[in-house]
Each structure stands twice: as C-alpha cells, then as structure tokens.
Amino acid sequence: MTTPGGWLDAVRRERPLVMNITNFVAMNFAANVLLAVGASPVMSHAREEVADMAAQAQALVLNIGTLEPVWVDAMHMAARTAAERRIPVVLDPVGVGATPFRTRVAADLLATAAITAVRGNAGELAALAGAQGTMHGVDAADAPPVADLTSWARAHDVLAIATGAVDQAADGTNSREVANGHPMMARVTATGCSLSALVGAFLAVAPPADRLDASVAALVVFGVAGETAARRASGPGTFVPLLLDALAALEPDQVDAAARITRSRPA
Amino acid sequence: MTTPGGWLDAVRRERPLVMNITNFVAMNFAANVLLAVGASPVMSHAREEVADMAAQAQALVLNIGTLEPVWVDAMHMAARTAAERRIPVVLDPVGVGATPFRTRVAADLLATAAITAVRGNAGELAALAGAQGTMHGVDAADAPPVADLTSWARAHDVLAIATGAVDQAADGTNSREVANGHPMMARVTATGCSLSALVGAFLAVAPPADRLDASVAALVVFGVAGETAARRASGPGTFVPLLLDALAALEPDQVDAAARITRSRPA
Amino acid sequence: MTTPGGWLDAVRRERPLVMNITNFVAMNFAANVLLAVGASPVMSHAREEVADMAAQAQALVLNIGTLEPVWVDAMHMAARTAAERRIPVVLDPVGVGATPFRTRVAADLLATAAITAVRGNAGELAALAGAQGTMHGVDAADAPPVADLTSWARAHDVLAIATGAVDQAADGTNSREVANGHPMMARVTATGCSLSALVGAFLAVAPPADRLDASVAALVVFGVAGETAARRASGPGTFVPLLLDALAALEPDQVDAAARITRSRPA
C-alpha cells in the first residue's frame, strides 16, 4: 500500500498537468498550491479551447465558485474530453444550495459529467444530495452534515470528500477520516478550492483502484502543511505564504509520521 | 455612542455576509480582508443568481474596477434586491472619470441603484460629481479634492467616504476626518477596494442612524491595521499578509486607543 | 549609455501608466509588481473602454493566459489605439502552441497588432514562430529553444525576449543574455506574466532606439530582485511578498553591480 508520503512523492515525480476551470478568487492560490506540491497547473475556460486543453491534462478540476453560463458550457465540454480520456474529474460545488442557479449547475454536472470525486464541506454535500432527490423532504439549507458519506458516495457513484474540522473521504464501500489540519485554514479564502485542485493532482497519479487512498493523501498533505504553517504564522495573512512554503518543503516521511487517519467501519 | 472598537466587536460577533460584485484584481484580497476582520464574504456576479445571493446578504459592495456590460446588469439586479431588503449598498467607483464608460456606469449606479455609501479617492468623488452635473465646467481629471464632502454627500443623498493621506467621511449633515493609516497602503493594489468591502461589513451591523460612525470605524480599523503592519513589513510585499494578520489580531481597546478622529465643523 | 539601474530610476521618476489586458491568475501579482517598481498599473478589458484607456497609457501589455473571444477583440482595439499613439505594446503569448485557439490568437496579434516586444519562454517563442510558417516542418510542441533569437526578432520585426535559466533579448540586429534570476521564480505562478508587465513599464520610458537596453534592464531588475528575495525566502510562498519588497527596495547602484549581462555576437 502506498502511504500519503508515497503519493506525494508520486505527484512530485510525475508532475501531472492539472487543468482548472475555477473561480476568480481561487485561481492564483490554487495555481500556487499545485506548483508548490510539484504539479503543473493550467487555467483555461474558453469554449474555443477547453477540449484541446483537457486532451493534454492528467486531471480536470471544476469549481463553481464564481459561475457564469458560458463557463458552465466550458465545464461540460472539458468534462466530455476528460471522460473520453478516462482522466479523473473533481467537482467543487462551492456554495451549492445558496442559489437555485448554483444548485442546478452542480447537480447537472454531477448527473451528466462523469465526475470522479466531489470535494466540499458537509453542508455543500448535503445540499447537492438534496438537489438530486436523495434527501427528499430535507431543506438543503438546514441539512445536517453527511452522516453516512459511504452511502452518499454510492448513491452518486463518486468518491466523496467532505472537509471540516475532521475530513472524511469515502467511495461506495470504504471511508476514511483525516484529523490533520488547523482552524486557521478556515480563516483564509479559497483554501477549500485549492484543496480540490490538490485532490486533482493526487488522483492524476493514482490508478482507479487507489483513488480513495490518493485522495486521503491529498487531505493529509494539505492538513500537515497547514499545521506546519500555523506554527510559524502570526495570523491568516502570513499563513498563506507559509502554507505554500510548507507544501513545497514537506518530506514524505514527515507526512507519514504526522498523518492522522482513521478507517471508519463500512456503513 | 459605540466606539470604533465597539463596531469591530459587532462585526466579529454578527459575522455579516457581505456580497461583492468586484474587480478581478481585488477579489482574493477583499475576501481575505473580510475574513480577517470576522465578516463572511461571498463573490457572485452571474445575472442568474445575484438577486438570490443578495437576498441573503447583510451588505452589498459594487466595485467597477474591471467592468464588463453583463457585470453592470448584475450590479443593478443585485442592488434592486438590496433596496427591497434595505441592506446597505457600497459603491466603489474605481477609475471613474478615466473613461466615458466607467463614468456613465458609476453615475447610473449612483443615480438609480439606492447606493448607501460611496468610497473612493477624492479625485474619483470629484469626477463622479462632475459626471452628474454638480461640478459644471470642471474637467474631472483636473478636479481638486472634494473641499466640502458634506455638501457632496447631501447632493447625492449618500454617505461619502473620500480616502487619502487623511480620510474623510460625511453624511449630509456631519463629517469626520480619520488620520490613521500609512503611505505603504498606496503602494499595494486593491487596498482601496478592500476598504470598500470592509465599509460594507461595518455598515451591515449598524442601524441607519449610526452609519457615519460605523464607516468611520471601518476607516480607523483599516488604518490602525495598516500602521501595525507597516511597523513589521520590509516592503509592500510583506505588508499585505501583515495587514491581514493585524486585522485579525486587533483588539477593540487597541483600536480605540489608536484612533485619530476629528469632527469637522459642518460646512 | 543608460545602465539597468538608470532605467529603473527612469521608471520610478516617470511612473508610466501601464495598461494590462491580462489573465485572471496574474492580475493582482502583475499590478503589485508594477506598483513595487514605481510604475502605475491599470487593468481594463471591456470593449466599451479599452481604446479610451489605451489613449492615456504609456505602454500596453497583452497576455493571453486565460483567453476569451471578447477579450481578444478588446486586445485588438487597445492595440490599434496604441499603434496610433506609438506607445510600446508587449505580447505575452502564454501557452501558445498548447491549443489551436491560443496559437491562432497569438499569431493574429503578432501579425496585425503592431507588437513592439514579445516576452515568452523559449518554447512559446518557437511555437509562435511555427504558427506563422517561419519554422516549416518543425512541430511546435517539439521545437527546440530559439537558437537564433536575433533572426526570430528580425523575422517578426519585434523585440524578442525569451526567458529561462538564462534570459535572452534581441532586436533584429543585436542580442543580450541576462544571467540574473533564481530557480524559485519558476515555482510561483505568474512570474513570467509579471515580468512582461515590467517590460512594458521599462519600454514606456525608453525611446525606440533604446528598447533593447530597456528590456534588458527589466530582465536584470526582475532577476536581481528574485535573487534578493530567494536569499530570505523559506519557500515559494514567502518568495512572492519578498520579491515585491525587493523590487521596491532595489537601489540603482545595486542593480548595476549585480547585473550579469553578456552581449552575444550578431548571428
């Protein structure tokens, strides 16, 4: 079995090209997170080129944080190419449930776009499930955290990643919890979006059977980097550059020593 | 009377949701400024969702820094919802006067969009007034600083905030000057835009009668944070993260002790 | 002859307005680089205003990093105004060769838009040449670095700047190599884009006959700032703010003492 540090090493060795159709707030930070960890970012959203760009990528990350309709078209176009090439596609449903537009776009992507993994907070995953009718009668806005992420993953046929104080990842059969990270990460914008990009990089170097493990590795690496940065930061401002420094400096052994992973029992 | 530190405390306690339709340069920085001070930012500009998003916000900030026509439509749509809900709307007329397009868009928003407060530098406020015919015969580009901000505020029926070496804020009756801040703030892009977002957060927690005081508090808090950051920064690059650290760490008592506010005589 | 430090001094003294139609990832960083060096940035891309804005600028920078068709229209409109006013236009063909759309847009701009200088990595310059038929039979993606940049510059009638471990600049007659810089600069997104903006600032203060020297000065200043920042940075995250600090603090004498320029023999 490959450890989180082993997956980090694979990302650095293979330098996967991760294509992002993401929001304006996260673009710079997510690109720097990918570079810091050793991956190769590309941002592109024009309908005139997304299929050509996706044809070269090792992973595709779709983030609905600052949507516009033409970007949604581009997401579907890029996802079709990704599906043909069988590269992993990560969906970050930022703010799903907050507006009907966001909810509809996220649900459509999840239903039709060959999504490999969904990364959101528990509220977003609950809202997304509600939008698709698997949570009848529960108002998305009032939905509790996803109690059974394994069932959620099975229902949507994806890898599900719900991040928070403790992160959870589950495919339809198994789940893991990751207790790494630091509260400072919630005090900075676009950390979640950047983590979704990082998940793309780790899935890019993993065979399909290892995707749960690789996504857990992304959670551990980001969390350990956050812990390292928080020890040196004097606040949320200095935390950001120090998080990037930590991502670039992390040794695989250090990651494995600091990993706090628990295996949940199957639901 | 609530002190600046008291308003800061209110922002941290109420965590207002501040919706921003802002420019690409400022998005990440403004979001982090709002998070650092304890508010909750959301960025959204699609016509398909701005009304739904504004329906949940406690303040709306409109910034014309990198305009496009569809964004202007979205600003008007969001502002209509804000007006119905009587939440404060802050207009940042970045670069008004520099092009006829910007001037027309800013003047239209000021005339029709139920703007609560305008935050700009003195030249922008002069240009905006000129565009509306209150400064006939004065070329906007050559306009002097706003000599009488109280009259400006009364003429446009808004809270007026003109920032510079000394900041001024005025409603139609009273005005204040704030001498906090540091020259380093002008060496970094989007500090003014971020301050406009911060004004939105402070207005969000203030009753209408207290809006002048709350906007002054935003100026003081941003200025004191800038002074704190400048003492530690080695240049404009390190100043940015340290400004965010300072915003997050400021104690209300410290803000009140450092505040340099003067009440101007009514004009 | 004006030294690199002398050109830096000229930028600080004249504070040229540099208009950027650039990508979403680079906008904030490029604006801060321009401010740090003492220039004045403006970002604008709406077709409704780009001609008016370009009418006031001292240089125009076009960057195709996150293209959309309406932005391409705006680039051509702004470039026409720049040509009428004879201000320098810098093209940064980010990712040219990666997709047919990018390649076509970059080649069209180079062919029709009165481009003064092209700044890219060697692969981008080779791809751009291939797209225009000057490198028949060489697949752009496999193109070697530009072996003879003087010929490249002459063929396209531009100043050509190819950056990498060693930077090269050439007009159709002369060329220079600049060995300043640090590998950390490649670990951070948008450093190349920001350098293109910086080239715009330096060309803005140089008469046409001195453009090669001025562009070399931009390479030296950015490289020396990078060396300075790398000595203090603990990784790619802290490198970014320290690079801005260094740009703001560099003394002309220090730049000249640290410059590592060689004159290549004419090809």
Side-chain angles (χ1 to χ4, degrees):
Chain A
M1 187 196 129
T2 308
T3 65
W7 290 113
L8 172 61
D9 197 50
V11 169
R12 289 182 178 160
R13 211 169 46 236
E14 300 188 27
R15 304 191 67 75
L17 183 67
V18 180
M19 174 175 170
N20 300 270
I21 305 181
T22 189
N23 69 73
F24 299 123
V25 180
M27 277 197 194
N28 185 281
F29 189 23
N32 274 334
V33 162
L34 288 169
L35 282 167
V37 82
S40 197
V42 67
M43 272 61 187
S44 165
H45 65 280
R47 291 171 296 182
E48 288 75 10
E49 71 169 10
V50 287
D52 295 319
M53 201 65 91
Q56 301 164 59
Q58 275 83 54
L60 173 65
V61 180
L62 305 176
N63 178 304
I64 68 167
T66 54
L67 272 183
E68 282 177 80
V70 295
W71 288 58
V72 178
D73 293 348
M75 289 180 184
H76 281 282
M77 293 171 69
R80 276 196 289 276
T81 300
E84 288 164 18
R85 298 185 53 237
R86 299 178 185 281
I87 62 169
V89 180
V90 179
L91 172 64
D92 187 332
V94 181
V96 62
T99 69
F101 177 55
R102 256 168 224 242
T103 303
R104 189 174 69 244
V105 168
D108 283 354
L109 285 167
L110 183 55
T112 69
I115 302 297
T116 309
V118 178
R119 202 289 319 165
N121 60 44
E124 287 164 346
L125 266 62
L128 188 50
Q132 292 211 312
T134 57
M135 291 183 65
H136 293 296
V138 178
D139 178 15
D142 296 331
V146 178
D148 179 357
L149 199 66
T150 303
S151 297
W152 196 102
R154 194 185 307 128
H156 299 290
D157 193 21
V158 295
L159 182 65
I161 305 167
T163 54
V166 172
D167 303 328
Q168 300 173 271
D171 58 21
T173 311
N174 296 296
S175 73
R176 306 274 188 281
E177 293 191 351
V178 175
N180 295 105
H182 191 277
M184 190 73 87
M185 301 172 98
R187 297 292 306 273
V188 174
T189 196
T191 44
C193 304
S194 297
L195 173 56
S196 295
L198 198 66
V199 168
F202 279 72
L203 293 183
V205 300
D210 288 338
R211 282 177 176 164
L212 178 58
D213 276 348
S215 70
V216 165
L219 295 169
V220 169
V221 164
F222 204 59
V224 173
E227 295 164 12
T228 306
R231 280 192 291 271
R232 297 182 52 201
S234 61
T238 48
F239 178 76
V240 170
L242 291 169
L243 177 65
L244 294 169
D245 283 3
L247 281 170
L250 282 181
E251 294 292 338
D253 286 357
Q254 175 192 2
V255 170
D256 291 339
R260 294 197 284 160
I261 307 169
T262 55
R263 277 148 211 274
S264 301
R265 288 159 300 183
Chain B
M1 186 195 130
T2 308
T3 64
W7 290 113
L8 171 62
D9 197 50
V11 170
R12 288 183 180 160
R13 210 170 46 238
E14 300 188 27
R15 304 192 66 76
L17 182 67
V18 181
M19 175 175 170
N20 301 270
I21 306 182
T22 189
N23 69 73
F24 299 123
V25 180
M27 278 198 193
N28 185 281
F29 188 23
N32 274 334
V33 161
L34 288 168
L35 282 167
V37 83
S40 197
V42 66
M43 272 61 187
S44 165
H45 65 280
R47 290 170 297 182
E48 287 75 10
E49 72 169 9
V50 286
D52 295 318
M53 202 64 92
Q56 301 164 59
Q58 276 82 53
L60 173 65
V61 180
L62 306 176
N63 177 305
I64 68 167
T66 53
L67 273 184
E68 281 176 80
V70 296
W71 288 58
V72 177
D73 293 349
M75 289 181 184
H76 282 282
M77 293 171 69
R80 276 196 289 276
T81 300
E84 288 164 17
R85 298 186 54 237
R86 300 179 184 281
I87 62 168
V89 181
V90 180
L91 172 64
D92 186 332
V94 181
V96 61
T99 69
F101 177 56
R102 258 169 223 242
T103 303
R104 189 174 69 243
V105 167
D108 283 354
L109 285 167
L110 183 55
T112 69
I115 302 297
T116 309
V118 177
R119 203 291 316 166
N121 60 45
E124 287 163 347
L125 266 63
L128 189 49
Q132 291 210 317
T134 59
M135 289 183 66
H136 292 298
V138 179
D139 178 15
D142 296 332
V146 178
D148 179 358
L149 199 66
T150 303
S151 298
W152 196 102
R154 195 184 308 127
H156 299 290
D157 193 21
V158 295
L159 182 66
I161 304 167
T163 53
V166 172
D167 303 329
Q168 301 174 270
D171 58 21
T173 310
N174 295 295
S175 73
R176 305 276 189 279
E177 293 192 351
V178 175
N180 293 107
H182 192 277
M184 191 73 87
M185 301 172 98
R187 297 292 306 273
V188 173
T189 197
T191 45
C193 304
S194 298
L195 173 56
S196 295
L198 198 66
V199 168
F202 278 72
L203 294 182
V205 301
D210 288 338
R211 282 177 176 164
L212 178 58
D213 276 348
S215 70
V216 165
L219 295 171
V220 169
V221 164
F222 205 59
V224 173
E227 294 164 14
T228 307
R231 280 192 290 273
R232 297 181 52 200
S234 62
T238 49
F239 178 76
V240 171
L242 291 169
L243 176 65
L244 295 168
D245 284 2
L247 282 170
L250 282 182
E251 294 293 339
D253 286 355
Q254 175 192 3
V255 170
D256 291 338
R260 293 197 285 160
I261 306 169
T262 56
R263 276 150 212 273
S264 302
R265 287 160 301 184
Chain C
M1 188 194 128
T2 308
T3 64
W7 289 113
L8 172 61
D9 197 50
V11 169
R12 289 183 180 159
R13 211 169 46 238
E14 301 188 26
R15 305 191 66 76
L17 182 67
V18 180
M19 174 176 171
N20 300 271
I21 306 181
T22 188
N23 69 73
F24 299 122
V25 180
M27 278 199 195
N28 185 283
F29 188 23
N32 274 333
V33 162
L34 288 169
L35 282 166
V37 83
S40 197
V42 67
M43 271 62 187
S44 166
H45 65 279
R47 290 171 298 183
E48 288 75 10
E49 72 169 10
V50 287
D52 295 319
M53 202 64 92
Q56 302 164 58
Q58 276 81 54
L60 173 65
V61 180
L62 306 176
N63 177 306
I64 68 167
T66 54
L67 273 183
E68 282 177 81
V70 295
W71 289 57
V72 178
D73 293 348
M75 289 181 184
H76 281 282
M77 293 171 70
R80 277 195 290 276
T81 300
E84 288 164 17
R85 298 186 54 238
R86 300 180 185 279
I87 61 169
V89 181
V90 179
L91 172 64
D92 187 331
V94 181
V96 60
T99 69
F101 177 55
R102 258 168 221 241
T103 303
R104 189 174 68 244
V105 168
D108 283 355
L109 285 166
L110 183 55
T112 70
I115 302 298
T116 309
V118 177
R119 202 291 317 165
N121 60 44
E124 287 164 347
L125 267 63
L128 189 49
Q132 291 210 316
T134 58
M135 290 183 66
H136 293 297
V138 178
D139 177 15
D142 296 331
V146 177
D148 179 359
L149 199 66
T150 303
S151 297
W152 196 102
R154 194 184 307 128
H156 299 290
D157 192 22
V158 295
L159 182 65
I161 304 167
T163 53
V166 173
D167 302 329
Q168 300 173 271
D171 57 21
T173 310
N174 295 296
S175 73
R176 305 275 188 281
E177 292 191 352
V178 175
N180 294 105
H182 191 277
M184 190 72 87
M185 301 172 97
R187 296 293 305 273
V188 174
T189 196
T191 44
C193 304
S194 298
L195 173 55
S196 295
L198 198 66
V199 168
F202 278 72
L203 294 183
V205 299
D210 288 338
R211 282 176 175 163
L212 178 59
D213 276 349
S215 70
V216 165
L219 295 170
V220 168
V221 164
F222 205 59
V224 172
E227 295 164 13
T228 306
R231 280 192 291 271
R232 296 181 53 200
S234 63
T238 48
F239 178 76
V240 170
L242 291 169
L243 176 65
L244 295 169
D245 284 1
L247 281 170
L250 282 181
E251 294 293 340
D253 286 357
Q254 175 191 2
V255 169
D256 292 338
R260 295 198 284 162
I261 307 169
T262 55
R263 277 151 211 273
S264 301
R265 287 161 300 184

